[in-house]
Amino acid sequence: MSSEPIERRVSYLGDRLKACRCQCCGKEYFEVRDYCSVCGRKSYGKMDSIDLFFDKGKLELATYINEPTNKFSKLSSFVYGIVSFHDGKIRVPARLTDQLLCDSQEVDISSLEGREVVPRFRRRYSVGRGDVIPTISLAFTLADEYYPHQEYKIVQPTKEYELPGIVGYGVYTSRFRIRESNMERAVPFIDEDSVTAAVEAGKLALIHSGLDSSLVGKVYVGSESNPYAVKPIASKVAQVLKLGEEDGDIQGVDAVDTEFACKAGSSMFKDASALVSYPRSDIKYAMVIGADNSQAAPRGCPGGELDTFVGYGGAAFLFGKFDVIAEVEGWYSCTSDTPDFWRRDGEQFPSHGGRFTGDPAYFKHVRKAASKLMERLNLEASDINYFVPHQPNPTFPVRIAKELGFRDEQFLPSLVINKLGNTYSGCSLAGLGAVLDVAEPDQRVLMVSYGSGAGSDAYLLRTTRQLLDKRKRQKINVKFQTENPFIEYVDYTTYRRLKLGM
């Protein structure tokens, strides 16, 4: 299969799937155009844009590509076809992603045709390390297998809170896993990376919040696996999710990448809270994302022991003062120069300080941040309903939780390490998402992140009654993603291939 025909069709499309409609006759077109071929001159200036990014389509026709060529060869075999929207009025070329196929595999195309699919934001094809990574929303997954459709319905806020807090959240990971011993870990599909995870998590957060994306004035994206050494993730997230007011191809939003190992996302909770509370600020909502395709050297190489725990995924949280589901009651941060985990410039994989990563690194900082915040707010462990620690491995969070006086029922609901692995910047945030999935109104949640290098952020949140109202919009929560019956397990060789991506 050649890449050139696809390139001619999608070169104008950008990263967000869209079409247009003639106001005169109602004819719809996949390609965005200035005039209608039916109405001609009188349609100039009367072509409405149609956004398909949150819509569900139908796979009308499909074919099996068992020997991809050129830039698509890293995909191995895949399914390609035509997806229709709006009862067949709009048809788009489509690659079916999240299908792990081999060259010798028999594919029943008839079982795929007619099924509903959802647009996904993915890498388009592989390029050299010196090139810009091409992305697109012409990749689709089967809606009933992994990504049940959730309607993005904008809801006008009804209540302003005194304190800022979380107004919506989303946690995303792939449906692929590697299972070893008593632990399983999330594995990205070959066309996924930290950027695609950040976009998907942000998309779920918008759906959960019901917030108009144009009202988001700031977006922070924390990651330590940015596929670029020099180029932000946040700008791509802002453009794909249409954050801020749109003016042509430019979004009216402040976007910035942050870095502090695994607390690169959580560190911005306080900044987002302060920003939306500032009386002279015109920013009413801010989005914070932590996303990583956590990297480690292969087994048998120096540093390869980290490969036992690394995962893939992202989490996004929207902050504001309207329709808050969890108010931010306080925070405390601590920092020291404790190099327990690092990756030198130009190196592909990180190194770590062995047992030095426990004490005085992880335990010292998490202990300090949690204890200081509880002391400042005059709280004991018994006053807190849920404790969410950072989870670099299965043992550290359990040990620190018990040391701080928390019971099993207070911290076990947050532990996703045994299902997703260590998702680095998304790790403690995914744990917070798991707790918010099950918490009741007027409960206190203490989250303490940790970033190698080293530092910790502790936050105390109090849930509100609106948590239950917004929960009804959430079909893709953390539990769904850890217990999905369509999870597919891969062997170690496949895991390494998918990890390195296109």
Side-chain angles (χ1 to χ4, degrees):
M1 177 178 177
S2 175
S3 62
E4 286 77 14
I6 294 178
E7 283 306 286
R8 287 199 293 270
R9 289 295 304 275
V10 304
S11 60
Y12 53 82
L13 185 64
D15 288 317
R16 191 171 173 115
L17 190 58
K18 53 190 175 182
C20 65
R21 179 187 296 112
C22 176
Q23 294 180 14
C24 300
C25 68
K27 182 172 175 58
E28 297 180 352
Y29 298 88
F30 163 49
E31 62 270 32
V32 178
R33 51 170 63 191
D34 297 324
Y35 68 96
C36 174
S37 60
V38 175
C39 299
R41 185 178 303 173
K42 68 178 181 178
S43 65
Y44 274 101
K46 297 180 180 179
M47 300 298 290
D48 291 331
S49 178
I50 303 174
D51 195 332
L52 303 173
F53 189 60
F54 286 90
D55 286 1
K56 190 185 331 185
K58 183 171 72 172
L59 184 62
E60 285 195 350
L61 298 171
T63 186
Y64 178 48
I65 310 297
N66 66 344
E67 292 185 11
T69 60
N70 301 339
K71 299 176 181 180
F72 297 90
S73 59
K74 283 195 175 182
L75 286 169
S76 297
S77 302
F78 64 93
V79 174
Y80 197 79
I82 299 295
V83 168
S84 66
F85 293 89
H86 300 182
D87 297 322
K89 294 179 181 178
I90 300 175
R91 290 181 171 86
V92 304
R95 173 171 60 84
L96 201 61
T97 189
D98 285 355
Q99 300 291 310
L100 197 57
L101 307 174
C102 60
D103 296 344
S104 60
Q105 185 172 346
E106 291 291 331
V107 178
D108 183 4
I109 293 297
S110 62
S111 68
L112 300 175
E113 293 176 341
R115 294 176 65 176
E116 292 182 324
V117 293
V118 179
R120 304 297 296 278
F121 170 72
R122 297 293 178 89
R123 291 189 177 197
R124 288 159 68 179
Y125 46 71
S126 60
V127 293
R129 291 184 61 83
D131 298 320
V132 173
I133 299 169
T135 51
I136 200 68
S137 293
L138 282 176
F140 294 80
T141 52
L142 297 169
D144 58 350
E145 280 197 359
Y146 177 63
Y147 208 100
H149 183 59
Q150 296 188 127
E151 181 183 4
Y152 176 35
K153 184 177 181 181
I154 296 174
V155 180
Q156 295 301 317
T158 59
K159 181 179 179 180
E160 182 176 5
Y161 286 75
E162 180 181 357
L163 295 177
I166 298 168
V167 300
Y169 66 96
V171 176
Y172 172 78
T173 189
S174 75
R175 73 178 182 91
F176 295 97
R177 302 286 193 275
I178 181 170
R179 179 190 286 153
E180 297 173 314
S181 301
N182 296 322
M183 182 179 178
E184 61 184 61
R185 296 173 287 126
V187 182
F189 193 58
I190 196 166
D191 58 357
E192 292 187 293
D193 57 19
S194 55
V195 186
T196 59
V199 168
E200 292 290 351
K203 184 177 180 179
L204 294 175
L206 289 171
I207 292 172
H208 177 247
S209 67
L211 182 66
D212 186 340
S213 64
S214 67
L215 299 179
V216 179
K218 179 84 175 188
V219 55
Y220 307 86
V221 180
S223 178
E224 54 183 289
S225 57
N226 187 340
Y228 297 97
V230 180
K231 184 187 177 302
I233 292 176
S235 57
K236 178 68 74 173
V237 173
Q239 181 171 288
V240 179
L241 296 181
K242 293 177 67 174
L243 303 180
E245 295 183 359
E246 190 175 22
D247 183 8
D249 295 329
I250 299 177
Q251 302 301 133
V253 62
D254 185 14
V256 64
D257 281 18
T258 61
E259 184 180 348
F260 197 129
C262 296
K263 80 179 194 81
S266 66
S267 183
M268 294 298 107
F269 276 22
K270 64 180 78 68
D271 295 71
S273 298
L275 187 61
V276 301
S277 299
Y278 183 58
R280 295 189 178 183
S281 172
D282 60 353
I283 296 177
K284 303 302 180 186
Y285 298 96
M287 179 180 284
V288 177
I289 302 175
D292 266 303
N293 179 16
S294 311
Q295 295 295 321
R299 310 272 172 84
C301 298
E305 56 272 20
L306 290 172
D307 199 34
T308 305
F309 305 114
V310 294
Y312 168 75
F317 289 80
L318 282 159
F319 287 82
K321 295 186 71 175
F322 294 89
D323 289 1
V324 172
I325 63 172
E327 294 179 289
V328 179
E329 293 193 320
W331 60 71
Y332 180 86
S333 294
C334 60
T335 305
S336 75
D337 185 17
T338 309
D340 64 311
F341 179 87
W342 64 92
R343 180 174 64 84
R344 290 288 301 274
D345 187 31
E347 292 296 320
Q348 183 176 9
F349 301 115
S351 303
H352 70 106
R355 61 186 181 86
F356 190 65
T357 62
D359 254 326
Y362 173 90
F363 294 108
K364 181 178 180 178
H365 291 83
V366 173
R367 184 187 307 119
K368 176 78 169 181
S371 300
K372 272 292 186 181
L373 182 58
M374 289 192 289
E375 178 185 325
R376 287 187 172 187
L377 299 177
N378 196 27
L379 295 173
E380 302 289 338
S382 58
D383 299 317
I384 295 169
N385 300 93
Y386 293 101
F387 176 57
V388 185
H390 178 59
Q391 305 160 39
N393 56 52
T395 59
F396 280 15
V398 175
R399 175 180 157 184
I400 193 63
K402 293 186 175 181
E403 180 182 319
L404 291 168
F406 292 103
R407 304 181 306 276
D408 288 359
E409 60 269 25
Q410 291 173 286
F411 67 85
L412 287 180
S414 74
L415 298 189
V416 295
I417 178 70
N418 286 317
K419 292 292 186 178
L420 304 181
N422 182 0
T423 54
Y424 287 5
S425 299
C427 189
S428 55
L429 304 191
L432 176 58
V435 165
L436 293 177
D437 285 348
V438 298
E440 296 294 326
D442 199 32
Q443 290 188 324
R444 283 194 172 105
V445 181
L446 174 62
M447 182 188 79
V448 186
S449 63
Y450 172 73
S452 297
S456 280
D457 301 311
Y459 294 92
L460 186 72
L461 306 166
R462 185 191 286 269
T463 57
T464 74
R465 292 206 61 82
Q466 290 195 271
L467 176 67
L468 301 182
D469 296 332
K470 293 189 179 183
R471 187 175 291 165
K472 299 173 184 177
R473 307 171 191 168
Q474 228 176 9
K475 295 181 181 178
I476 306 178
N477 56 20
V478 178
K479 183 178 180 180
F480 171 84
Q481 299 204 58
T482 56
E483 300 180 2
N484 177 13
F486 292 100
I487 285 175
E488 187 170 345
Y489 294 93
V490 300
D491 58 25
Y492 186 77
T493 301
T494 304
Y495 154 75
R496 291 302 308 183
R497 181 174 72 88
L498 295 178
K499 263 290 192 185
L500 295 176
M502 296 173 66

